[in-house]
Amino acid sequence: MNFYDFNVKDAQGGIVALSGYRGKVLLIVNTATRCGLTPQYKELQQLYSRYSGQGLEILDFPCNQFRHQAPESGGEIVQICRTKFGTQFKIFDKIEVNGANAHPLYVYLKSRQPNDRSGHRIKDWLLKLAATGMGHEDADIQWNFTKFLINREGEVVGRFAPTVTPLEMEKEIQALL
């Protein structure tokens, strides 16, 4: 199985074949509308505005697993993001990223990049999460706004901690474009 074999639901319930993104550079993010990191939507949109013409696509997967910080419906999430942050990139149906009900796409992403590339920053983040009692398996998504970078060949080439802002990833994205 490869990245392009997956189908996902968009926020309106339509089926989207990821094969339609073949040849694009993708940034896949699990998001939440009521998280302290939600302002990252602004930087995600900045990247999308700068690079979508060169082949960057951002795929937003809302997730309510982390302290229930995405309680809205898919349509409400789209409306909030468009109104508050001016997002123009694709928002998908709300999914789970960890556990028995984890979406198969996220099972695949985690299997290809089980570790974060941001080094010591993730360790600090994990210590804070451990203090809240929200520990996870090593490869599990630790929090909202974990980011996966996919190259034009559909290979998962990077995983970035929630604390790594989208603009901090700009050089990696430029290199893939």
Side-chain angles (χ1 to χ4, degrees):
M1 184 147 214
N2 71 53
F3 178 82
Y4 299 121
D5 292 332
F6 290 95
N7 293 320
V8 294
K9 285 185 182 178
D10 63 21
Q12 294 73 35
I15 301 297
V16 177
L18 293 183
S19 61
Y21 291 100
R22 194 176 302 276
K24 302 279 188 176
V25 172
L26 305 174
L27 182 58
I28 299 176
V29 187
N30 66 294
T31 61
T33 52
R34 298 184 186 193
C35 176
L37 299 173
T38 300
Q40 286 190 22
Y41 267 118
K42 289 179 186 175
E43 288 190 14
L44 288 168
Q45 181 55 43
Q46 287 175 332
L47 288 175
Y48 186 73
S49 294
R50 283 182 201 153
Y51 300 111
S52 62
Q54 297 175 42
L56 174 68
E57 292 291 339
I58 296 174
L59 310 184
D60 175 357
F61 288 91
C63 178
N64 199 35
Q65 279 188 286
F66 304 103
R67 293 201 177 171
H68 308 289
Q69 295 180 340
E72 303 87 359
S73 70
E76 291 170 325
I77 290 170
V78 170
Q79 185 63 31
I80 289 167
C81 292
R82 300 271 190 270
T83 303
K84 190 169 182 179
F85 302 104
T87 58
Q88 298 172 339
F89 48 83
K90 187 78 169 168
I91 298 176
F92 291 86
D93 195 25
K94 198 167 12 174
I95 63 167
E96 291 188 17
V97 296
N98 293 330
N101 296 319
H103 192 284
L105 173 63
Y106 266 79
V107 172
Y108 175 83
L109 293 171
K110 293 184 298 184
S111 75
R112 296 302 185 265
Q113 284 289 325
N115 299 306
D116 192 275
R117 289 185 38 190
S118 54
H120 69 281
R121 295 181 69 183
I122 190 66
K123 291 177 188 166
D124 294 340
W125 186 251
L126 289 174
L127 288 173
K128 288 178 186 176
L129 284 176
T132 67
M134 297 200 59
H136 296 281
E137 298 294 322
D138 286 343
D140 274 357
I141 303 301
Q142 302 301 319
W143 199 252
N144 305 309
F145 291 88
T146 297
K147 300 153 200 77
F148 287 92
L149 195 55
I150 314 295
N151 68 16
R152 291 183 187 271
E153 291 74 40
E155 299 165 331
V156 186
V157 296
R159 176 176 174 169
F160 299 86
T163 53
V164 176
T165 67
L167 291 181
E168 289 177 306
M169 301 171 54
E170 191 167 14
K171 287 184 181 179
E172 285 93 341
I173 291 168
Q174 287 173 335
L176 294 175
L177 292 171

